[in-house]
Amino acid sequence: MELRKQYIGELSRLMKENDKIFILDADLGAAGGTTPLYKEFPDRCVDVGIAEANMACIAAGLSASGFVPFIHSFVPFVARRALDQIAVSVSYSEQNVRIVGYDPGVHTTSNGGTHMSFEDVATMRAFCNIAVLDIVDGVQLKKALPYIVQHKGPMYIRFVRKQTEELFDDSYEFRFGKADKIASGKDLTIVASGTSLFDAKNACDILKKDGIKVDLLGIHTVKPLDNKAILTSAKKTGAVLTVENHSIHGGLYSAVCEVLSAEHPTLCDAVAVRDKLTQVGKLNDLKRDYGLTVEDIVARAKALVAKK
């Protein structure tokens, strides 16, 4: 099932239990999948039109009135176009707004370079009070939503609308601010977020065949980061590779390096976008062009281990 369908299904269940949840869209209800909620909860769903900045301000007002508003659009429209309104009306005003960004990074594919964003995590992570989530699959999002609703303070959530592949099963437990331990090893730590975790896991299988055992950490909460898990793994392996669908500047790599440089200086590298403009393309071609493939992970992992 597509991730957006799991998202809307769980939101529907939660909205039946909690009459304070409010849905806002900026002319993309059909693309995001929220349209069924408008029929089910007509008094708590509003399409503001192509007016993302206004949507953020409306959400702040709803939050100040006791609601828990979710605003939705493609990543660049909620995390870039509405940035000043998020800074002042949401963050500075300490409102419980949930900012949902669809199709981060290379997952924009054919929608084009203007719709692609590699800087959203960096931007949102810079605010003192905005929690940042990078979701890997529908199971994780479904398990996370009850917490997302009750979390105090603003939150940014990025995920791929049409994602159908699943990493976790129904036994999965979401723990805000805690890393998921995917694999254990002593030679290298790989820290991966969002859908990059799929490629990181596949790379670990290849590396294992070559005698490199990886400690794999899945990061859904980029802020606040699970410092303890990262430090514990880094002390064991002595080398850390981050993997993310984002710029190398300001995202997961930066967050991990900040922790390690302060607490336990460690050899590090990243599989991330390195100062390249956005473009149109198919997913596999984009991942190749930006150095985000399984092969890229394996190559950087081996090079990093060789430096130890």
Side-chain angles (χ1 to χ4, degrees):
M1 182 186 297
E2 288 184 344
L3 195 153
R4 61 181 169 180
K5 293 182 179 179
Q6 295 191 57
Y7 172 60
I8 299 310
E10 183 64 11
L11 262 186
S12 173
R13 184 187 73 80
L14 292 168
M15 289 178 78
K16 290 171 185 173
E17 298 176 353
N18 185 342
D19 63 5
K20 296 300 182 182
I21 301 174
F22 207 103
I23 303 301
L24 294 165
D25 287 289
D27 199 44
L28 287 170
T34 57
T35 302
L37 297 177
Y38 283 71
K39 297 178 181 179
E40 194 172 7
F41 308 98
D43 296 331
R44 286 188 281 145
C45 295
V46 173
D47 189 332
V48 306
I50 305 173
E52 293 85 0
N54 191 35
M55 178 171 64
C57 292
I58 293 170
L62 285 166
S63 173
S65 301
F67 288 95
V68 181
F70 285 69
I71 66 174
H72 306 84
S73 192
F74 290 112
V75 164
F77 304 145
V78 289
R80 191 163 67 202
R81 182 176 293 172
L83 187 58
D84 186 57
Q85 287 70 27
I86 289 171
V88 177
S89 297
V90 176
S91 175
Y92 182 74
S93 301
E94 300 182 291
Q95 298 301 330
N96 293 320
V97 176
R98 309 300 179 246
I99 306 159
V100 180
Y102 301 138
D103 296 350
V106 293
H107 288 281
T108 301
T109 61
S110 60
N111 278 332
T114 58
H115 287 47
M116 192 175 289
S117 174
F118 293 141
E119 66 284 327
D120 56 310
V121 173
T123 301
M124 292 298 170
R125 201 171 69 86
F127 290 108
C128 69
N129 58 0
I130 298 184
V132 178
L133 298 185
D134 195 358
I135 299 296
V136 62
D137 67 7
V139 172
Q140 188 174 77
L141 183 57
K142 183 178 178 180
K143 298 282 187 172
L145 270 170
Y147 175 82
I148 290 171
V149 169
Q150 60 90 28
H151 176 82
K152 298 302 180 184
M155 180 178 283
Y156 174 62
I157 307 109
R158 69 195 313 246
F159 61 80
V160 180
R161 293 175 302 141
K162 298 179 181 181
Q163 171 74 29
T164 56
E165 186 179 5
E166 292 185 348
L167 187 74
F168 300 109
D169 59 30
D170 286 338
S171 65
Y172 174 75
E173 295 183 12
F174 174 83
R175 297 177 300 156
F176 176 74
K178 298 296 181 183
D180 293 316
K181 189 65 171 291
I182 309 299
S184 297
K186 59 180 178 57
D187 300 315
L188 174 70
T189 297
I190 293 183
V191 183
S193 62
T195 54
S196 295
L197 187 54
F198 288 108
D199 292 324
K201 187 174 183 297
N202 289 335
C204 287
D205 293 337
I206 295 172
L207 290 166
K208 186 176 181 179
K209 293 178 182 178
D210 292 334
I212 299 175
K213 297 180 180 179
V214 175
D215 225 33
L216 178 59
L217 300 179
I219 301 294
H220 48 69
T221 309
V222 181
K223 183 178 181 180
L225 193 64
D226 190 347
N227 296 357
K228 182 178 179 181
I230 290 168
L231 286 167
T232 298
S233 183
K235 290 175 182 178
K236 178 173 64 172
T237 66
V240 177
L241 179 69
T242 63
V243 184
E244 60 188 308
N245 173 32
H246 187 271
S247 169
I248 193 172
H249 304 295
L252 181 64
Y253 177 67
S254 294
V256 169
C257 286
E258 288 162 15
V259 173
L260 293 175
S261 64
E263 301 290 338
H264 186 73
T266 307
L267 192 63
C268 294
D269 193 11
V271 172
V273 179
R274 284 169 157 77
D275 279 344
K276 294 185 71 174
L277 291 174
T278 53
Q279 60 182 312
V280 181
K282 294 181 179 179
L283 182 59
N284 288 338
D285 292 335
L286 290 169
K287 288 168 72 172
R288 183 198 65 229
D289 288 351
Y290 290 112
L292 304 178
T293 66
V294 172
E295 292 75 19
D296 291 311
I297 299 171
V298 170
R300 287 192 176 275
K302 288 182 177 180
L304 194 58
V305 171
K307 292 180 180 179
K308 289 172 58 178

